């Protein structure tokens, strides 16, 4: 009872503002919002449709099916804010939706950011959240939050490795004694894989498909390593020569081939991270392995592929899509302990 009362007075939120999805955890309560990071606007005026409610799930449903006067916009790309105005509107909507009823105060917000974020991009995160209604903003590295969220013993003097393959970025990190000892942050993730599928279909089948269709195909048929039973499916698109709609038959082997470059980039990031580790830490990883999370880790046989390429045992987290927000919620529960490691909006000039 007292705990609930204290939490009521605290009003702290954990926000995983992802390129593909935004998740919000309310300290003391758990996950209160999980929506696509998407906004549908009227072209020209850039007014949000449906009286300001075409955000998240509603906007995602419209993607690829709108008349010319409407655009469905993702305010983030490759892990960072690219459309400040719409990101702020989206955040204001999400924060309002996550607000417990009856509360009038502004929340303090912990936000997860990629390791490759520049000072300018970081400033944009602070500003967007403050303008969207946050009282104070702290930042935490996505990989650290993910490692905490998947339950790794990061405070111990032993190496823990996490690989978060998101929509826009892949974060790799080795942690020991609650600190990142080596890590990489690359702007490759599910979106890059979708672009690779679009390119493949254009090159090999003269077929033009949209990114949402490529994503569906990748989720249905994609894999990182040979499957026990390879699969075949039909994909519809526009013939690049005739301009007419038609179908093509594609196999899971072809999609795997299409994903070659982005998968290679992820392996390179893991290898570079291992390169930055001392022999003792590397030895820990050989026995403990690494944990995969983020939606991109749901690509079939990703764990096996990583093990083949790096020699490290790899496993996918039990809840890969919520690992980051779960880790941030744990930080908020133990804020006194974590606060010195967080970047705060109060520290900005
Ligand atoms: N079953 C699945 N198989 C393959 N990929 C999937 C699956 N489910 C989701 N994804 C992919 O996961 C990605 C989204 O993952 P996630 O929500 O972790 O990203 P994000 O946190 O929004 O992005 P980032 O952290 O890079 O900013 C999308 O590219 C989506 O296509
Ligand atoms: Mg993410």
């Amino acid at each position: 009872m007292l705990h609930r009362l204290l939490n009521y007075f605290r009003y702290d939120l954990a926000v995983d503002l992802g390129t593909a999805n935004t998740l919000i955890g309310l300290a003391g309560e758990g996950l209160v919002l999980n929506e696509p990071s998407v906004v549908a606007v009227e072209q020209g005026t850039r007014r949000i449709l449906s009286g300001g409610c075409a955000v998240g799930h509603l906007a995602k449903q419209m993607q690829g099916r709108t008349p010319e006067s409407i655009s469905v916009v993702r305010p983030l790309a490759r892990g960072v804010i690219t459309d400040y105005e719409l990101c702020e509107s989206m955040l204001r909507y999400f924060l309002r939706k996550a607000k417990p009823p009856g509360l009038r105060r502004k929340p303090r917000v912990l936000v997860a950011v990629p390791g490759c974020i520049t000072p300018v991009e970081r400033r944009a995160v602070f500003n967007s959240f403050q303008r969207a209604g946050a009282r104070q903003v702290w930042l935490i590295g996505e990989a650290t939050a993910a490692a905490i969220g998947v339950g790794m013993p990061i405070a111990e003097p032993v190496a823990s490795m996490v690989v978060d393959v998101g929509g826009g970025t892949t974060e790799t990190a080795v942690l020991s004694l609650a600190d990142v000892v080596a890590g990489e942050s690359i702007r490759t993730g599910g979106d890059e894989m979708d672009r690779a599928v679009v390119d493949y279909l254009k090159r090999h089948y003269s077929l033009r498909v949209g990114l949402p269709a490529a994503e569906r195909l990748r989720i249905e048929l994609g894999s990182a390593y040979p499957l026990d039973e390879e699969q075949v499916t039909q994909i519809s698109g526009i013939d690049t020569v005739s301009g007419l709609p038609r179908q093509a038959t594609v196999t899971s082997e072809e999609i795997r081939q299409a994903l070659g470059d982005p998968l290679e980039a992820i392996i390179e990031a893991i290898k570079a991270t291992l390169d930055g580790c001392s022999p003792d830490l590397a030895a820990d990883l050989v026995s403990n392995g690494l944990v995969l999370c983020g939606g991109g880790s749901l690509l079939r046989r990703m764990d096996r592929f990583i093990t083949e390429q790096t020699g490290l045992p790899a496993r996918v987290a039990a809840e890969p899509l919520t690992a980051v927000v779960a880790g941030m919620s744990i930080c908020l529960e133990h804020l006194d302990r974590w606060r010195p490691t967080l970047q705060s909006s109060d520290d900005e000039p």
Side-chain angles (χ1 to χ4, degrees), residues 273-333:
T273 309
L274 295 172
D275 229 24
C277 289
S278 69
D280 285 346
L281 292 173
D284 288 346
L285 296 174
V286 171
S287 43
N288 298 345
L290 60 87
V291 177
L292 284 160
C293 65
S297 71
L298 291 166
L299 183 71
R300 279 173 298 171
R301 306 212 79 187
M302 190 75 169
D303 43 359
R304 177 67 192 269
F305 173 68
I306 289 177
T307 299
E308 285 289 319
Q309 297 285 318
T310 63
L312 294 184
R315 69 176 171 88
V316 180
E319 303 281 351
L321 287 159
T322 52
V324 170
V325 75
M328 285 196 289
S329 299
I330 293 171
C331 287
L332 285 178
E333 293 294 322

Side-chain angles (χ1 to χ4, degrees), residues 183-237:
E184 293 287 316
S185 173
I186 58 165
R187 300 193 170 190
T188 299
D191 293 345
E192 195 68 25
M193 294 184 198
D194 297 339
R195 279 190 285 274
V197 170
V198 168
D199 285 351
Y200 184 92
L201 294 172
K202 192 145 97 199
R203 235 171 329 116
H204 291 80
Y205 287 95
S206 304
L207 198 68
R208 188 158 56 84
V209 302
L211 288 168
E215 182 185 25
R216 285 193 296 275
L217 180 65
R218 173 173 60 81
I219 290 176
E220 185 194 335
L221 215 64
S223 58
Y225 189 81
L227 301 169
D228 292 337
E229 278 184 39
E230 298 291 350
Q231 293 167 318
V232 175
T233 199
Q234 299 280 317
I235 172 97
S236 305

Side-chain angles (χ1 to χ4, degrees), residues 11-18 21-27 30-35 37 76 87 90-92 94-96 98 107-114 125 129 132 134 136-142 145 322 324-329 331-332:
Y11 191 21
D12 294 336
L13 297 175
V15 183
D16 176 8
L17 174 63
N21 300 298
T22 298
L23 286 80
I24 303 187
L26 173 63
L31 194 64
V32 289
L33 183 134
N34 183 354
E35 304 225 17
S37 308
L76 286 97
C87 187
M90 179 177 83
L91 286 175
R92 189 174 295 119
F94 286 157
L95 293 181
R96 204 167 52 224
R108 299 187 300 180
V109 181
L110 176 60
V111 187
V113 290
V125 175
F129 272 91
Q136 191 179 359
V137 184
W138 296 290
L139 306 185
I140 185 170
E142 243 180 300
T322 52
V324 170
V325 75
M328 285 196 289
S329 299
C331 287
L332 285 178

